[in-house]
Each structure stands twice: as C-alpha cells, then as structure tokens.
Amino acid sequence: VYGRWTSYTNRATNVPIDINGSDGTTTVTVNQQENGGEWVLLTEKEFTAGSSGSVQIRTDGTDGYVIADGIRLIRVGN
C-alpha cells in the first residue's frame, strides 16, 4: 500500500493512516513535510478478493494540514 501527497512546511508531521485488510488494521504515521510528490510505501498488507478492505487517512491529533493526493494498491503474485 502506497500513499502520495504534496509536501510543504505547513503539512502535518504526524498523519495517522489506517489500513484495513484481511489480517486486521495496521496504523502507519507519516510526516507530510517530507517525500512530497513521491509514492511512499506505507506497509505491505494482504487483502482478500471479494471482501472489504479500506484505507482511512485521519486528521485527529495532527499538527498541520493533512493532504491526500492518492493511495495505490499493488497486486503481488498470481
């Protein structure tokens, strides 16, 4: 699972991202003052076809603006 955002000095340094897959929820915290305009690997996560999964970018407790340009899921294997 990859995330992408634009970076700037007014962006939050502590953005919580919840990734919900077949093995439960993983929360990753990212600094959006860094890595702007790049696809950033958030975590490797398994999703089961035909079941629900989600990515939630939260703003609670953050110390600046939160930006969400995109989320990318890449299939590995068959």
Side-chain angles (χ1 to χ4, degrees):
V1 178
Y2 290 81
R4 187 178 178 115
W5 53 84
T6 54
S7 60
Y8 195 68
T9 56
N10 67 350
R11 305 296 193 246
T13 63
N14 58 341
V15 179
I17 303 175
D18 297 332
I19 300 132
N20 304 297
S22 57
D23 62 347
T25 301
T26 300
T27 300
V28 178
T29 302
V30 298
N31 180 349
Q32 290 193 334
Q33 292 184 5
E34 301 175 348
N35 302 315
E38 301 174 19
W39 286 107
V40 177
L41 178 63
L42 302 174
T43 190
E44 294 184 15
K45 192 76 167 167
E46 188 170 311
F47 296 89
T48 303
S51 66
S52 62
S54 65
V55 177
Q56 181 179 21
I57 302 165
R58 297 187 286 125
T59 60
D60 51 302
T62 56
D63 59 5
Y65 290 101
V66 175
I67 304 299
D69 289 339
I71 294 292
R72 177 186 278 177
L73 306 175
I74 296 180
R75 181 179 178 175
V76 178
N78 297 336

